[in-house]
PDB file of all heavy atoms in Angstrom:
ATOM      1  N   VAL A  10      -9.682   2.494 -12.211  1.00  0.00           N
ATOM      2  CA  VAL A  10      -9.283   1.311 -11.452  1.00  0.00           C
ATOM      3  C   VAL A  10      -7.858   0.878 -11.814  1.00  0.00           C
ATOM      4  O   VAL A  10      -7.061   0.608 -10.925  1.00  0.00           O
ATOM      5  CB  VAL A  10     -10.296   0.172 -11.617  1.00  0.00           C
ATOM      6  CG1 VAL A  10      -9.752  -1.139 -11.076  1.00  0.00           C
ATOM      7  CG2 VAL A  10     -11.632   0.523 -11.023  1.00  0.00           C
ATOM      8  N   ALA A  16      -0.922   2.913  -9.107  1.00  0.00           N
ATOM      9  CA  ALA A  16      -0.494   3.830  -8.080  1.00  0.00           C
ATOM     10  C   ALA A  16      -0.102   3.085  -6.800  1.00  0.00           C
ATOM     11  O   ALA A  16       0.881   3.378  -6.104  1.00  0.00           O
ATOM     12  CB  ALA A  16      -1.545   4.911  -7.802  1.00  0.00           C
ATOM     13  N   VAL A  27      -7.533   8.948  -4.278  1.00  0.00           N
ATOM     14  CA  VAL A  27      -8.292   9.876  -5.092  1.00  0.00           C
ATOM     15  C   VAL A  27      -8.965   9.094  -6.265  1.00  0.00           C
ATOM     16  O   VAL A  27     -10.113   9.220  -6.578  1.00  0.00           O
ATOM     17  CB  VAL A  27      -7.489  11.039  -5.620  1.00  0.00           C
ATOM     18  CG1 VAL A  27      -8.230  11.808  -6.613  1.00  0.00           C
ATOM     19  CG2 VAL A  27      -6.986  11.866  -4.496  1.00  0.00           C
ATOM     20  N   LEU A  28      -8.173   8.240  -6.975  1.00  0.00           N
ATOM     21  CA  LEU A  28      -8.660   7.477  -8.038  1.00  0.00           C
ATOM     22  C   LEU A  28      -9.802   6.533  -7.651  1.00  0.00           C
ATOM     23  O   LEU A  28     -10.795   6.424  -8.365  1.00  0.00           O
ATOM     24  CB  LEU A  28      -7.480   6.747  -8.754  1.00  0.00           C
ATOM     25  CG  LEU A  28      -6.397   7.632  -9.443  1.00  0.00           C
ATOM     26  CD1 LEU A  28      -5.244   6.869  -9.850  1.00  0.00           C
ATOM     27  CD2 LEU A  28      -7.036   8.320 -10.672  1.00  0.00           C
ATOM     28  N   ALA A  32     -13.678   6.237  -8.632  1.00  0.00           N
ATOM     29  CA  ALA A  32     -14.280   4.994  -9.221  1.00  0.00           C
ATOM     30  C   ALA A  32     -15.472   4.517  -8.354  1.00  0.00           C
ATOM     31  O   ALA A  32     -16.407   4.063  -8.937  1.00  0.00           O
ATOM     32  CB  ALA A  32     -13.165   3.919  -9.223  1.00  0.00           C
ATOM     33  N   SER A  43     -12.396  -2.707  -1.663  1.00  0.00           N
ATOM     34  CA  SER A  43     -11.190  -3.308  -1.015  1.00  0.00           C
ATOM     35  C   SER A  43      -9.929  -2.424  -1.170  1.00  0.00           C
ATOM     36  O   SER A  43      -9.280  -2.181  -0.184  1.00  0.00           O
ATOM     37  CB  SER A  43     -10.965  -4.665  -1.649  1.00  0.00           C
ATOM     38  OG  SER A  43      -9.916  -5.359  -1.076  1.00  0.00           O
ATOM     39  N   TYR A  47      -7.855  -0.049   1.816  1.00  0.00           N
ATOM     40  CA  TYR A  47      -6.389   0.046   2.122  1.00  0.00           C
ATOM     41  C   TYR A  47      -5.861   1.467   2.029  1.00  0.00           C
ATOM     42  O   TYR A  47      -5.099   1.854   2.865  1.00  0.00           O
ATOM     43  CB  TYR A  47      -5.622  -0.906   1.185  1.00  0.00           C
ATOM     44  CG  TYR A  47      -4.100  -0.746   1.257  1.00  0.00           C
ATOM     45  CD1 TYR A  47      -3.473  -0.956   2.389  1.00  0.00           C
ATOM     46  CD2 TYR A  47      -3.430  -0.248   0.151  1.00  0.00           C
ATOM     47  CE1 TYR A  47      -2.125  -0.811   2.532  1.00  0.00           C
ATOM     48  CE2 TYR A  47      -2.090  -0.045   0.256  1.00  0.00           C
ATOM     49  CZ  TYR A  47      -1.374  -0.322   1.466  1.00  0.00           C
ATOM     50  OH  TYR A  47       0.004  -0.124   1.517  1.00  0.00           O
ATOM     51  N   TYR A  56      -8.990   3.305  10.331  1.00  0.00           N
ATOM     52  CA  TYR A  56      -8.789   1.879  10.431  1.00  0.00           C
ATOM     53  C   TYR A  56     -10.114   1.114  10.508  1.00  0.00           C
ATOM     54  O   TYR A  56     -10.343   0.131   9.815  1.00  0.00           O
ATOM     55  CB  TYR A  56      -7.895   1.446  11.535  1.00  0.00           C
ATOM     56  CG  TYR A  56      -6.499   2.092  11.455  1.00  0.00           C
ATOM     57  CD1 TYR A  56      -6.050   2.873  12.491  1.00  0.00           C
ATOM     58  CD2 TYR A  56      -5.734   1.989  10.297  1.00  0.00           C
ATOM     59  CE1 TYR A  56      -4.803   3.528  12.400  1.00  0.00           C
ATOM     60  CE2 TYR A  56      -4.512   2.604  10.177  1.00  0.00           C
ATOM     61  CZ  TYR A  56      -4.025   3.331  11.259  1.00  0.00           C
ATOM     62  OH  TYR A  56      -2.810   3.931  11.141  1.00  0.00           O
ATOM     63  N   GLN A  57     -11.013   1.581  11.387  1.00  0.00           N
ATOM     64  CA  GLN A  57     -12.274   0.865  11.595  1.00  0.00           C
ATOM     65  C   GLN A  57     -13.136   0.926  10.299  1.00  0.00           C
ATOM     66  O   GLN A  57     -13.710  -0.160   9.936  1.00  0.00           O
ATOM     67  CB  GLN A  57     -13.094   1.486  12.761  1.00  0.00           C
ATOM     68  CG  GLN A  57     -12.377   1.267  14.119  1.00  0.00           C
ATOM     69  CD  GLN A  57     -12.170  -0.194  14.377  1.00  0.00           C
ATOM     70  OE1 GLN A  57     -12.938  -1.061  14.113  1.00  0.00           O
ATOM     71  NE2 GLN A  57     -10.969  -0.526  15.006  1.00  0.00           N
ATOM     72  N   ALA A  65     -16.936  -6.073   4.094  1.00  0.00           N
ATOM     73  CA  ALA A  65     -18.079  -5.987   3.181  1.00  0.00           C
ATOM     74  C   ALA A  65     -17.676  -6.483   1.800  1.00  0.00           C
ATOM     75  O   ALA A  65     -18.455  -7.203   1.135  1.00  0.00           O
ATOM     76  CB  ALA A  65     -18.565  -4.556   3.106  1.00  0.00           C
ATOM     77  N   ALA A  66     -16.446  -6.152   1.351  1.00  0.00           N
ATOM     78  CA  ALA A  66     -16.033  -6.660   0.033  1.00  0.00           C
ATOM     79  C   ALA A  66     -15.807  -8.155  -0.003  1.00  0.00           C
ATOM     80  O   ALA A  66     -16.236  -8.790  -0.995  1.00  0.00           O
ATOM     81  CB  ALA A  66     -14.665  -5.921  -0.310  1.00  0.00           C
ATOM     82  N   PRO A  71     -16.952 -13.357  -2.247  1.00  0.00           N
ATOM     83  CA  PRO A  71     -16.134 -14.392  -1.519  1.00  0.00           C
ATOM     84  C   PRO A  71     -15.244 -15.153  -2.421  1.00  0.00           C
ATOM     85  O   PRO A  71     -15.505 -15.322  -3.610  1.00  0.00           O
ATOM     86  CB  PRO A  71     -17.228 -15.256  -0.852  1.00  0.00           C
ATOM     87  CG  PRO A  71     -18.357 -15.117  -1.693  1.00  0.00           C
ATOM     88  CD  PRO A  71     -18.362 -13.670  -2.245  1.00  0.00           C
ATOM     89  N   LEU A  78      -5.858  -9.915   1.245  1.00  0.00           N
ATOM     90  CA  LEU A  78      -4.598  -9.159   1.158  1.00  0.00           C
ATOM     91  C   LEU A  78      -4.775  -7.762   1.673  1.00  0.00           C
ATOM     92  O   LEU A  78      -4.024  -7.319   2.469  1.00  0.00           O
ATOM     93  CB  LEU A  78      -4.108  -9.209  -0.295  1.00  0.00           C
ATOM     94  CG  LEU A  78      -2.879  -8.281  -0.560  1.00  0.00           C
ATOM     95  CD1 LEU A  78      -1.641  -8.803   0.156  1.00  0.00           C
ATOM     96  CD2 LEU A  78      -2.623  -8.187  -2.035  1.00  0.00           C
ATOM     97  N   ALA A  93      -3.499  -9.575  11.040  1.00  0.00           N
ATOM     98  CA  ALA A  93      -2.976  -9.446   9.626  1.00  0.00           C
ATOM     99  C   ALA A  93      -2.513 -10.792   9.154  1.00  0.00           C
ATOM    100  O   ALA A  93      -2.887 -11.233   7.958  1.00  0.00           O
ATOM    101  CB  ALA A  93      -1.865  -8.427   9.510  1.00  0.00           C
ATOM    102  N   GLN A  99      -5.841 -16.855   5.574  1.00  0.00           N
ATOM    103  CA  GLN A  99      -7.222 -17.164   5.029  1.00  0.00           C
ATOM    104  C   GLN A  99      -7.191 -16.848   3.561  1.00  0.00           C
ATOM    105  O   GLN A  99      -7.834 -17.599   2.780  1.00  0.00           O
ATOM    106  CB  GLN A  99      -8.269 -16.286   5.722  1.00  0.00           C
ATOM    107  CG  GLN A  99      -8.664 -16.815   7.110  1.00  0.00           C
ATOM    108  CD  GLN A  99      -9.740 -15.879   7.758  1.00  0.00           C
ATOM    109  OE1 GLN A  99      -9.678 -14.692   7.528  1.00  0.00           O
ATOM    110  NE2 GLN A  99     -10.588 -16.488   8.421  1.00  0.00           N
ATOM    111  N   GLN A 107       0.756 -14.469  -4.889  1.00  0.00           N
ATOM    112  CA  GLN A 107       2.178 -14.264  -4.571  1.00  0.00           C
ATOM    113  C   GLN A 107       2.419 -13.043  -3.674  1.00  0.00           C
ATOM    114  O   GLN A 107       3.311 -13.006  -2.904  1.00  0.00           O
ATOM    115  CB  GLN A 107       2.981 -14.038  -5.904  1.00  0.00           C
ATOM    116  CG  GLN A 107       4.434 -14.062  -5.738  1.00  0.00           C
ATOM    117  CD  GLN A 107       4.964 -15.309  -5.093  1.00  0.00           C
ATOM    118  OE1 GLN A 107       4.625 -16.366  -5.441  1.00  0.00           O
ATOM    119  NE2 GLN A 107       5.916 -15.094  -4.133  1.00  0.00           N
ATOM    120  N   ILE A 110       2.030 -14.150  -0.113  1.00  0.00           N
ATOM    121  CA  ILE A 110       3.140 -14.968   0.202  1.00  0.00           C
ATOM    122  C   ILE A 110       4.360 -14.026   0.492  1.00  0.00           C
ATOM    123  O   ILE A 110       5.028 -14.191   1.521  1.00  0.00           O
ATOM    124  CB  ILE A 110       3.540 -15.964  -0.882  1.00  0.00           C
ATOM    125  CG1 ILE A 110       2.446 -17.012  -1.056  1.00  0.00           C
ATOM    126  CG2 ILE A 110       4.950 -16.624  -0.685  1.00  0.00           C
ATOM    127  CD1 ILE A 110       2.584 -17.915  -2.291  1.00  0.00           C
ATOM    128  N   GLN A 112       4.142 -10.937   1.554  1.00  0.00           N
ATOM    129  CA  GLN A 112       3.858 -10.259   2.824  1.00  0.00           C
ATOM    130  C   GLN A 112       4.205 -11.181   4.075  1.00  0.00           C
ATOM    131  O   GLN A 112       4.744 -10.659   5.032  1.00  0.00           O
ATOM    132  CB  GLN A 112       2.341  -9.859   2.852  1.00  0.00           C
ATOM    133  CG  GLN A 112       1.987  -8.620   2.067  1.00  0.00           C
ATOM    134  CD  GLN A 112       2.370  -7.327   2.721  1.00  0.00           C
ATOM    135  OE1 GLN A 112       2.773  -7.285   3.909  1.00  0.00           O
ATOM    136  NE2 GLN A 112       2.399  -6.281   1.943  1.00  0.00           N
ATOM    137  N   LYS A 120      10.067 -17.971  16.312  1.00  0.00           N
ATOM    138  CA  LYS A 120      10.615 -19.220  16.852  1.00  0.00           C
ATOM    139  C   LYS A 120       9.750 -19.692  17.997  1.00  0.00           C
ATOM    140  O   LYS A 120       9.014 -18.923  18.614  1.00  0.00           O
ATOM    141  CB  LYS A 120      12.048 -18.884  17.384  1.00  0.00           C
ATOM    142  CG  LYS A 120      13.002 -18.474  16.306  1.00  0.00           C
ATOM    143  CD  LYS A 120      14.316 -18.055  16.866  1.00  0.00           C
ATOM    144  CE  LYS A 120      15.207 -17.507  15.755  1.00  0.00           C
ATOM    145  NZ  LYS A 120      16.267 -16.651  16.217  1.00  0.00           N
ATOM    146  N   PRO A 121       9.834 -20.997  18.254  1.00  0.00           N
ATOM    147  CA  PRO A 121       8.972 -21.495  19.375  1.00  0.00           C
ATOM    148  C   PRO A 121       9.495 -20.917  20.724  1.00  0.00           C
ATOM    149  O   PRO A 121      10.631 -20.601  20.871  1.00  0.00           O
ATOM    150  CB  PRO A 121       9.203 -23.013  19.326  1.00  0.00           C
ATOM    151  CG  PRO A 121      10.417 -23.205  18.496  1.00  0.00           C
ATOM    152  CD  PRO A 121      10.591 -22.021  17.604  1.00  0.00           C
ATOM    153  N   HIS A 131       4.306 -15.328  28.603  1.00  0.00           N
ATOM    154  CA  HIS A 131       4.750 -15.498  30.014  1.00  0.00           C
ATOM    155  C   HIS A 131       6.067 -14.813  30.193  1.00  0.00           C
ATOM    156  O   HIS A 131       6.956 -14.790  29.344  1.00  0.00           O
ATOM    157  CB  HIS A 131       4.800 -16.929  30.380  1.00  0.00           C
ATOM    158  CG  HIS A 131       4.969 -17.234  31.792  1.00  0.00           C
ATOM    159  ND1 HIS A 131       6.197 -17.202  32.423  1.00  0.00           N
ATOM    160  CD2 HIS A 131       3.984 -17.480  32.783  1.00  0.00           C
ATOM    161  CE1 HIS A 131       6.065 -17.460  33.724  1.00  0.00           C
ATOM    162  NE2 HIS A 131       4.686 -17.628  33.935  1.00  0.00           N
ATOM    163  N   LYS A 136      11.851 -13.382  28.881  1.00  0.00           N
ATOM    164  CA  LYS A 136      13.166 -13.080  29.397  1.00  0.00           C
ATOM    165  C   LYS A 136      14.173 -14.155  28.884  1.00  0.00           C
ATOM    166  O   LYS A 136      15.301 -13.790  28.500  1.00  0.00           O
ATOM    167  CB  LYS A 136      13.134 -12.994  30.929  1.00  0.00           C
ATOM    168  CG  LYS A 136      12.375 -11.782  31.389  1.00  0.00           C
ATOM    169  CD  LYS A 136      12.906 -10.553  30.845  1.00  0.00           C
ATOM    170  CE  LYS A 136      12.076  -9.360  31.297  1.00  0.00           C
ATOM    171  NZ  LYS A 136      12.383  -8.109  30.737  1.00  0.00           N
TER     172      LYS A 136
END
Side-chain angles (χ1 to χ4, degrees):
V10 170
V27 172
L28 293 168
S43 183
Y47 170 63
Y56 304 121
Q57 293 304 319
L78 170 67
Q99 283 179 323
Q107 189 58 45
I110 294 168
Q112 283 284 345
K120 296 175 184 158
H131 192 275
K136 294 303 175 185

